[in-house]
Amino acid sequence: MNNKYESHSLLAYEKSQALDLEPKLNFKKAITGELTQNLSNLCQNELIPFLLQQFGNGYWGQQCLNIAPQTFMILQHFGIDCELVYGEVSINGTDEFDTDYDELVKELENPGTAGFAIHVWIQIGKDFIIDPTVAARINKYYSAQFPSHQIILGKSKKLLKDLKLEYKPMLAGAKYVTKTCNIPLKYNAEAV
């Protein structure tokens, strides 16, 4: 693997398996131009209006633990093979959440004992990212012209090149949210 995101994602997958999170990531899934266009259309035309109705048009930059699992469930409902990923995102070289792997594991082992720093997004295949909340942070801290309520999506290299977003996966699996936040999530799409 020549992509830093891909190697970190694979490591997060392996660590998550060892922690019994049962991640369902299909690293062999082909991300075609057609799939990318379909996902983009789905996010713009279906997901954003739904999320705005659910969460309002306030600041979403600290809402990833609420909004990403909801997005995951909608994508699963549409039969899209995806997984929740937990870690850090860097914007223009600045880590946004100070996420720490050991803290993520502590929260998993003893949920609710303290607030923990985390960013959550959705991954398809080996490196396709869907992030419903990071746009709010870009708008608030980096560029007021950047639309705050949009879903950022694309391959990790393209997001790094075009938007200076570097994703750092640490754990994966919907079971993490179920265990730490008591949000029951189901897979409807099978990772094949």
Side-chain angles (χ1 to χ4, degrees):
M1 287 189 188
N2 57 1
N3 182 327
K4 191 175 180 181
Y5 180 89
E6 290 175 34
S7 58
H8 285 236
S9 178
L10 190 55
L11 189 59
Y13 177 80
E14 291 166 355
K15 287 179 177 179
S16 300
Q17 282 184 312
L19 291 168
D20 196 32
L21 293 176
E22 303 170 15
K24 295 179 188 252
L25 273 171
N26 178 358
F27 291 96
K28 290 181 171 48
K29 182 169 183 64
I31 306 298
T32 63
E34 182 182 2
L35 176 62
T36 301
Q37 189 57 53
N38 289 343
L39 287 169
S40 181
N41 290 340
L42 175 67
C43 287
Q44 290 302 87
N45 301 326
E46 305 281 336
L47 274 172
I48 284 294
F50 175 80
L51 293 173
L52 282 167
Q53 184 181 7
Q54 291 291 113
F55 298 100
N57 63 357
Y59 178 62
W60 290 1
Q62 301 282 39
Q63 293 290 315
C64 63
L65 263 174
N66 296 322
I67 296 174
Q70 189 76 46
T71 304
F72 167 84
M73 287 305 294
I74 294 166
L75 293 171
Q76 288 287 324
H77 173 76
F78 282 107
I80 296 165
D81 175 14
C82 62
E83 183 58 276
L84 285 167
V85 178
Y86 315 90
E88 177 66 79
V89 63
S90 169
I91 303 174
N92 288 331
T94 303
D95 284 351
E96 293 296 304
F97 297 94
D98 297 321
T99 309
D100 176 85
Y101 171 78
D102 292 332
E103 291 298 315
L104 293 180
V105 173
K106 276 184 198 168
E107 184 65 25
L108 181 64
E109 292 168 347
N110 203 351
T113 52
F116 64 112
I118 190 169
H119 186 56
V120 187
W121 63 92
I122 290 120
Q123 179 176 322
I124 299 174
K126 61 185 173 184
D127 69 342
F128 193 88
I129 293 166
I130 298 175
D131 189 338
T133 60
V134 77
R137 291 188 79 84
I138 296 171
N139 170 272
K140 184 172 182 175
Y141 297 111
Y142 298 94
S143 172
Q145 292 78 36
F146 198 86
S148 62
H149 296 105
Q150 69 169 312
I151 295 174
I152 302 293
L153 72 156
K155 290 189 175 188
S156 59
K157 279 184 184 177
K158 184 163 176 49
L159 295 179
L160 180 57
K161 181 177 171 252
D162 294 354
L163 298 173
K164 307 292 182 259
L165 294 172
E166 182 182 4
Y167 286 84
K168 303 169 186 177
M170 296 176 190
L171 289 174
K175 202 170 177 182
Y176 186 86
V177 173
T178 302
K179 286 185 167 191
T180 59
C181 302
N182 205 20
I183 300 172
L185 298 173
K186 293 186 303 209
Y187 295 93
N188 292 334
E190 282 302 312
V192 239

